[in-house]
Amino acid sequence: MAREMKDSGIEWIGEIPKNWKIKKLKYLSLFKQEKYDEVYGNLVYIGLENVESWSGIYKETDSIYDKSQSLIFQKNDILWGKLRPYLAKAYQCNNMGCCSNEFCVISIDKMSDIRFFWYLLISPTFVDTVNRSTYGTKMPRANADFIKNMNVPIPPIIEQSIISRFLDNKSKEIDNILIKTRTSIEEYKKLKQAVITQAVTKGVRGNREMMDSRSTWFGQVPRDWNMRKIKYIFKIQKGIAGEEGHTVLSITQKGIKPKDLSKNEGQLADNYSNYQLVHIGDFAMNHMDLLTGWVDVSKYEGVTSPDYRVFRLINQDNYYSQYYLYLMQMCYTNRIFYGLGQGVSGLGRWRLQADKFLNLSILVPSYEEQKEIAYYLDQKCSAIDELIAKKEQYLSEIENYKKSLIYEYVTGKKEVPQNC
């Protein structure tokens, strides 16, 4: 028999069970602002990069930070990420430590179930409501006062515990599926990387006579191939737009994409007149961060960051663009460009200087074989990409199911079955 419901009067919550209450979050919690002090000693530090989105999982990563700006947290406090809140980074602390001041440090009333409130704080409609209130365009942040004053649903304490235990068990089951699916996706990506590496460095004609390339990066290569420096194959170009109105292009690991400026996501510029032009068929690469950067051939006319590198083939009669795209991308995935870089990798500033790039000797098969390799890889990679896409679609469906599940139970739309 369905339980009796009532209108909460709050848009993001909707209907709730008749015996539930509505209160502002600030009456159920304390938002702490205690700054780190040297008297605390060497505390564990948690940055935004340490917490996975939507899962609450803490992962060890190397962080460079100023501890003097850190906030102190205690066991069972909840850290809620204010920077880009749509990512829903929330973590329930196991011990005392210090954290980035980009977190809200929230101590839940001891008369409440902490896990229930953790789920409430990552429920998708709560997150969406906070996200709509953010300020700043380049790095949107949530306002802590807005969060404090949000109305939240409050079941009786016994029901809070029942809901949190149920969601813990369900989340564990779902997370196991997500882990297996992500692992499968990574295996397909590694397979694709291996197929590309084999084809662009050894060819696709089976057994043949090989020679030492005398390159640290390429090893044995077909004897009839040549090695040439990039500067004899490509030329770097930098034409500044000088005006607004061009399509802004982002270089992502899924290729060069037009940027939707209306979403206020990622890095945004005050104006784009000083961005550099990119034409259809141009190569463009993010050589500023060789760990997360990428290279692609543009399918669009537009502009991209003046800090990036735009270059094109000098002679398209002897060099086939798609083969060199596979080769360039292999230089990212196999860390060849990374091996030539310099800077501060811990801060994402491991860069490939122009002279190192231009003087790297790369492989030059005959033009016919370049086309042959590119065609082979187009077919193979397309098949692997299709498998990856199906896995990623399944992953998205499972993630959305988990978010929906959390929302329905923390707002009382669904009741935990008695046999759970």
Side-chain angles (χ1 to χ4, degrees):
M1 179 175 162
R3 56 183 170 175
E4 194 173 353
M5 305 290 283
K6 65 181 179 182
D7 183 6
S8 69
I10 309 300
E11 183 181 357
W12 78 266
I13 299 173
E15 287 194 331
I16 58 173
K18 192 172 183 179
N19 65 326
W20 286 28
K21 297 178 180 179
I22 296 290
K23 288 186 179 180
K24 289 185 184 296
L25 185 58
K26 67 182 177 182
Y27 298 132
L28 302 153
S29 61
L30 176 66
F31 281 61
K32 296 180 175 179
Q33 287 291 321
E34 184 182 2
K35 293 285 182 70
Y36 171 82
D37 190 284
E38 290 182 1
V39 298
Y40 288 112
N42 189 26
L43 293 177
V44 170
Y45 172 84
I46 296 179
L48 286 171
E49 69 277 9
N50 294 106
V51 179
E52 289 186 356
S53 298
W54 297 99
S55 71
I57 295 173
Y58 167 75
K59 53 185 179 180
E60 296 279 355
T61 61
D62 294 329
S63 299
I64 296 176
Y65 60 94
D66 179 4
K67 248 186 190 175
S68 67
Q69 299 302 311
S70 301
L71 300 176
I72 293 294
F73 60 79
Q74 303 291 338
K75 182 177 181 181
N76 288 328
D77 285 347
I78 294 174
L79 308 183
W80 200 90
K82 294 182 291 183
L83 183 64
R84 298 192 182 99
Y86 53 85
L87 295 176
K89 292 196 168 194
Y91 176 67
Q92 183 182 341
C93 305
N94 295 320
N95 296 290
M96 180 183 179
C98 60
C99 66
S100 164
N101 58 17
E102 295 291 0
F103 283 114
C104 289
V105 180
I106 307 173
S107 178
I108 301 297
D109 189 304
K110 289 183 171 57
M111 297 303 292
S112 301
D113 185 274
I114 296 167
R115 287 299 289 172
F116 172 82
F117 278 91
W118 182 82
Y119 282 113
L120 183 63
L121 291 169
I122 66 162
S123 59
T125 47
F126 180 93
V127 171
D128 185 54
T129 302
V130 175
N131 191 52
R132 290 201 300 270
S133 74
T134 56
Y135 63 94
T137 54
K138 292 184 180 180
M139 304 283 275
R141 287 176 174 82
N143 186 300
D145 286 334
F146 180 88
I147 299 169
K148 289 179 191 178
N149 286 288
M150 280 187 68
N151 288 297
V152 294
I154 312 297
I157 181 62
I158 293 175
E159 194 168 356
Q160 289 179 31
S161 299
I162 290 171
I163 292 170
S164 66
R165 285 198 301 269
F166 173 78
L167 288 176
D168 278 345
N169 291 333
K170 282 293 183 182
S171 294
K172 187 176 181 180
E173 293 173 9
I174 295 169
D175 289 343
N176 285 335
I177 295 171
L178 292 173
I179 289 169
K180 290 178 181 177
T181 305
R182 291 188 185 110
T183 299
S184 178
I185 290 171
E186 289 306 309
E187 288 172 350
Y188 278 122
K189 288 180 178 178
K190 287 177 182 177
L191 172 62
K192 178 180 174 181
Q193 184 177 332
V195 168
I196 292 171
T197 300
Q198 176 69 20
V200 299
T201 62
K202 314 298 178 195
V204 294
R205 294 180 177 177
N207 293 331
R208 59 203 296 187
E209 191 175 357
M210 308 293 281
M211 67 175 181
D212 184 359
S213 66
R214 297 183 180 179
S215 165
T216 305
W217 315 110
F218 303 121
Q220 294 283 310
V221 300
R223 180 169 289 279
D224 56 342
W225 288 17
N226 295 312
M227 300 283 292
R228 294 202 78 188
K229 291 182 177 180
I230 287 176
K231 65 184 177 182
Y232 299 124
I233 301 173
F234 290 94
K235 63 178 178 181
I236 294 174
Q237 56 192 35
K238 192 163 188 174
I240 301 301
E243 60 185 2
E244 295 272 17
H246 294 277
T247 300
V248 179
L249 303 176
S250 292
I251 304 175
T252 76
Q253 292 200 334
K254 291 189 175 181
I256 295 175
K257 306 287 185 184
K259 191 178 185 70
D260 186 350
L261 302 179
S262 66
K263 289 186 176 180
N264 289 332
E265 294 178 4
Q267 297 284 355
L268 299 176
D270 294 329
N271 77 78
Y272 295 92
S273 62
N274 65 337
Y275 268 40
Q276 60 179 321
L277 294 166
V278 179
H279 300 293
I280 294 171
D282 284 350
F283 285 67
M285 68 187 293
N286 174 2
H287 64 287
M288 307 296 290
D289 181 357
L290 298 173
L291 279 176
T292 61
W294 196 236
V295 59
D296 193 21
V297 171
S298 182
K299 298 180 179 67
Y300 311 95
E301 294 285 331
V303 293
T304 195
S305 168
D307 293 328
Y308 293 162
R309 182 167 295 144
V310 179
F311 52 102
R312 64 173 52 173
L313 286 167
I314 295 171
N315 181 350
Q316 295 191 22
D317 292 333
N318 294 325
Y319 301 101
Y320 190 63
S321 178
Q322 187 67 2
Y323 167 78
Y324 284 97
L325 176 61
Y326 282 120
L327 179 64
M328 292 282 177
Q329 290 178 343
M330 187 270 290
C331 287
Y332 267 99
T333 55
N334 290 11
R335 301 286 182 89
I336 293 173
F337 287 152
Y338 185 87
L340 296 169
Q342 61 188 59
V344 186
S345 60
L347 293 176
R349 296 172 185 164
W350 196 252
R351 306 173 181 185
L352 180 60
Q353 301 298 330
D355 62 328
K356 292 287 184 67
F357 172 72
L358 291 171
N359 285 294
L360 172 65
S361 292
I362 57 175
L363 303 168
V364 183
S366 68
Y367 183 76
E368 291 72 22
E369 193 168 358
Q370 292 174 33
K371 292 178 66 176
E372 182 182 318
I373 292 167
Y375 177 78
Y376 169 86
L377 287 176
D378 286 346
Q379 305 306 306
K380 288 288 186 181
C381 292
S382 177
I384 297 172
D385 286 342
E386 188 175 339
L387 292 171
I388 291 173
K390 288 179 180 178
K391 291 279 185 179
E392 287 178 336
Q393 175 64 30
Y394 178 64
L395 189 68
S396 177
E397 290 170 359
I398 296 298
E399 287 172 338
N400 287 333
Y401 169 70
K402 179 181 177 181
K403 293 175 186 178
S404 175
L405 194 74
I406 290 170
Y407 169 73
E408 289 172 338
Y409 282 96
V410 298
T411 59
K413 307 291 185 296
K414 285 188 176 180
E415 186 175 8
V416 176
Q418 291 185 353
N419 60 347
C420 291

